[in-house]
Amino acid sequence: MARVLIVDDSAFMRHVLRGIIEEAGHEVVDEAKTGEEAVGLYKKHRPDLVTLDLVMPGEGGQAALQAILKEDPDARVIVVSAVGQRPDVDGAIETGAADFLVKPFEKETVVATIDRLLTAVDTRG
Amino acid sequence: MGILKGKTGFMGRTRESLAELQEIGQTTTRAGLGTLQRLTRTPVETRDTRVLLLPISRMEKALEPYAGSEVAARFPFTGSASGVAALFLTRDNALRLAELLLGSEQGSLKRLGELEQSTIAETTNIALNGCLNALSSRDGVHFKPDVPESARSVKDLGAFLRPPGGEAHVVVVETPFSEPTRGVEGSMVLVLGVD
């Protein structure tokens, strides 16, 4: 079971992701609406995984990603974006995001992405 | 009669421009409906897509039916063109769309709270970004969308749809859509600034 922090300014997306993650048997430790909030909650909870929306008001997802990775270089962050934001996704992967999800996503894709990252962690020991 | 049949010259260039506009309209409509369909997991259809090329001063009049819309969401974008992507719904249709996307029983939602408004804003974000992505398939074309925001009752339609680049003309792609399983109807409107 993974402990997941959801970061998204959209209440709808937080609701959808929480539903998928909890149905898959994982725990949502908290939700952040902004990048600034995300960094504080990451430090507090040290989740196994973070789902992070790239386009958010204020600092935005890219800045939050950098701050989280600075806090914990081993942080596993899945960036989330709408279709067409590929340059932002590529930038995030270059920065150190572990994987990405493109909206609208299938429940199975989210679960498979989380499972893949958890397996990679286990393999690393 | 030759001027109307020529492949080059004035009418040739006019036909090329009209073909380009038609292509923008078809690409945008196909992508927007396809993305909406993937989001709702139900069929989504359109009646008549309109593609307009107008001076910005005439945009509000041309889109008059959307003035005072009960529910709307938009996001501005920049890049190869600046513009605004928007979704317009009546309050009842917004509730039905929210019910569909939240997995709620038909008729169960009575008010548009934070979650329901967020659902409309995110639908706009996902569906209209699908349109921009389809336009981006051309070489060198890219867009940078901003954060979506929702609105209750559009008071100033001109300001709501004005491209951030301040261009004097706009191409407007208007795609009314309907989702038959819950009877949702609405319109996607993409405004592209033209220098």
Side-chain angles (χ1 to χ4, degrees), chain B residues 93-169:
Chain B
N93 278 302
L95 286 170
R96 283 199 279 270
L97 180 59
E99 283 166 356
L100 175 63
L101 293 175
L102 293 170
S104 304
E105 288 252 335
Q106 195 157 354
S108 62
L109 291 179
K110 304 297 180 197
R111 59 178 287 270
L112 286 167
E114 185 198 344
L115 179 58
E116 291 76 22
Q117 286 190 68
S118 171
T119 303
I120 304 306
E122 195 60 30
T123 300
T124 306
N125 183 40
I126 292 172
L128 276 297
N129 260 299
C131 298
L132 293 181
N133 182 53
L135 292 175
S136 299
S137 64
R138 300 148 178 242
D139 284 341
V141 176
H142 72 280
F143 297 103
K144 190 158 176 61
D146 207 337
V147 178
E149 56 185 16
S150 58
R152 301 285 299 276
S153 178
V154 177
K155 292 181 175 55
D156 185 341
L157 185 65
F160 194 76
L161 292 175
R162 189 166 300 125
E167 294 88 344
H169 291 81

Side-chain angles (χ1 to χ4, degrees), chain A residues 10-12 83-85 103 106, chain B residues 41 118-119 122 126 129 133 145:
Chain A
S10 163
F12 170 68
V83 68
Q85 292 167 9
K103 300 181 275 194
E106 297 293 331
Chain B
R41 296 192 175 92
S118 171
T119 303
E122 195 60 30
I126 292 172
N129 260 299
N133 182 53

Side-chain angles (χ1 to χ4, degrees), chain B residues 26-82:
Chain B
Q26 286 176 346
T27 299
T28 305
T29 296
R30 208 164 33 233
L33 293 178
T35 311
L36 251 187
Q37 203 155 279
R38 288 207 312 279
L39 184 59
T40 61
R41 296 192 175 92
T42 57
V44 179
E45 301 152 357
T46 187
R47 297 190 300 279
D48 305 299
T49 294
R50 267 202 311 172
V51 183
L52 308 170
L53 171 61
L54 312 156
I56 189 83
S57 57
R58 290 174 52 192
M59 179 182 68
E60 197 167 343
K61 178 77 179 165
L63 299 175
E64 211 166 22
Y66 302 112
S69 283
E70 292 172 319
V71 179
R74 71 188 279 274
F75 64 85
F77 56 86
T78 53
S80 296
S82 86

Side-chain angles (χ1 to χ4, degrees), chain B residues 15-36:
Chain B
R15 263 202 299 279
E16 270 177 31
S17 301
L18 289 172
E20 174 77 10
L21 286 174
Q22 188 179 32
E23 171 70 19
I24 288 172
Q26 286 176 346
T27 299
T28 305
T29 296
R30 208 164 33 233
L33 293 178
T35 311
L36 251 187

